[in-house]
Amino acid sequence: MSRAQALANAEQCFDSGAFRALLARRLAIPTESQNPERADVLASYLEAEMRPAFEAMGFACATLTHPQARAPFLYAERIEDPALPTVFGYGHGDVIRGLDREWHDGLSPWELAERDGRWYGRGIADNKGQHSINMEALRLVLQARGKLGFNVKYLIEMGEETGSMGLRELCAQHKERFAADLLIASDGPRLSAARPTVFLGARGSLNFDLSIEARQGAHHSGNWGGLISNPGIQLAHAISTLVSPCGQIRVPEWVPAGLPDAVRRALADCQVDGGADGPQIEPDWGEPGLSPAERVFGWCSFEVLAYKTGNPDTPVNAIPARAWARCQLRFVVGVDPAQLLPALRRHLDRQGFPMVKIQTTRETMFHATRIDPDDPWVRWAVASLEATSGKKVAILPNLGGSLPNDIFTDVLGLRTIWVPHSYPGCSQHAPNEHLPPELLREALGLMTGLYWDLGAGGTPPLQR
């Protein structure tokens, strides 16, 4: 059977409703890893949904655990010939909380529904829809060719939304077992809904709290105003020293020395597009002199995620005793993660804010990764995707968000090529998570073509 026929079969799989039925069944499983009551559901998704799907394709499966992980992992492998390329696949079956009451009337996070040309459901974008596409594409190639023509090792985790706890340790423990030539996986958004995209790494992410404990208890603002410090005002001024009024970072250790030429070339034709529901890009926000794509994919950003002082719900005429802010730094390759918090401490002390306490949060710090956009395997993957879609593929040196990609690059030593099947306006992690069906349909064809080409020969030389 030819490549063209395999792609036709992918279209038929989608147009017949078979893929929608498969996806609906998986979305109906409430795999909320942030909800302690869903522990049994997380394990069931692996055993009742993932394992049978892999075993039907001739994969050998094993349930793996690690003491630091709150949920099990499913490992599946199909080895046709050790001399053939071996691709490592990854996905996560857990989702963020459903937030059932906040969805549009008539919509449920646990029921696939179509409205206004969109498919809705929790996990359709992150990540059930994405790993379901990749698994179905493997099945379609196997069905068409009778074999894959390459080896596959696949890992499904159920704790990505709680920081991928234990994933790093699991990969280190099974490093030899997981050995492969490259990772091909899907998560995160495309550059835009209509443009196929690959990204080759991820920005790092560090969450931390800033706080001031001025004294015990609040005091009347009429009796004590002008006599005692206000931690809400002090913390606001401390934060203002970290970034300019337009969001430019002012801590030198928090930004790279410059933007590499390879990154500039890759981002030269990339236009950030959140779709009709996305926010309007503000041209004067962030690092001056950079394009929007360079700001979000090539540079660092600092955000205040939450801020509290006093009682916001019922303010009283009292000077609060405490102020608190949850902050986040997204950083790129070229920034030393070990120096982020020490540099912050030195900066605040220099600026006259020794009273500001810095504390890390429970969230895992993701490290920044980025592989060479000119790598032969990247060029090969892009050529395959362009042959299938007839569109120019956007190459992002790294995702603007964060993934545990450094586990795959640094622990397993893999090239990492991510082919996302979502878009920036998908309401990921929010109520009304959705995707356009035409994006899913195109993605199924793209991955079928990519896996077909991987097994057809003509891939770059293996460097093991």
Side-chain angles (χ1 to χ4, degrees), residues 209-234:
D209 291 344
L210 299 179
S211 62
I212 298 177
E213 298 278 355
R215 59 190 65 86
Q216 291 292 324
H219 295 273
H220 192 280
S221 59
N223 296 335
W224 294 99
L227 301 178
I228 61 175
S229 63
N230 187 313
I233 294 174
Q234 287 180 310

Side-chain angles (χ1 to χ4, degrees), residues 142-211:
L142 187 60
Q143 181 186 63
R145 186 182 273 147
K147 61 180 182 179
L148 292 175
F150 57 95
N151 308 310
V152 180
K153 299 180 178 183
Y154 220 111
L155 188 67
I156 301 288
E157 75 158 317
M158 300 301 295
E160 195 270 352
E161 300 295 3
T162 54
S164 293
M165 296 180 65
L167 177 61
R168 180 181 302 276
E169 294 76 13
L170 185 86
C171 288
Q173 178 183 348
H174 296 278
K175 182 175 181 178
E176 187 172 333
R177 187 179 190 179
F178 293 171
D181 296 300
L182 75 159
L183 175 137
I184 295 178
S186 299
D187 204 344
R190 293 177 169 191
L191 184 64
S192 66
R195 189 172 181 188
T197 301
V198 299
F199 63 85
L200 311 176
R203 284 203 293 185
S205 178
L206 173 65
N207 284 17
F208 56 91
D209 291 344
L210 299 179
S211 62

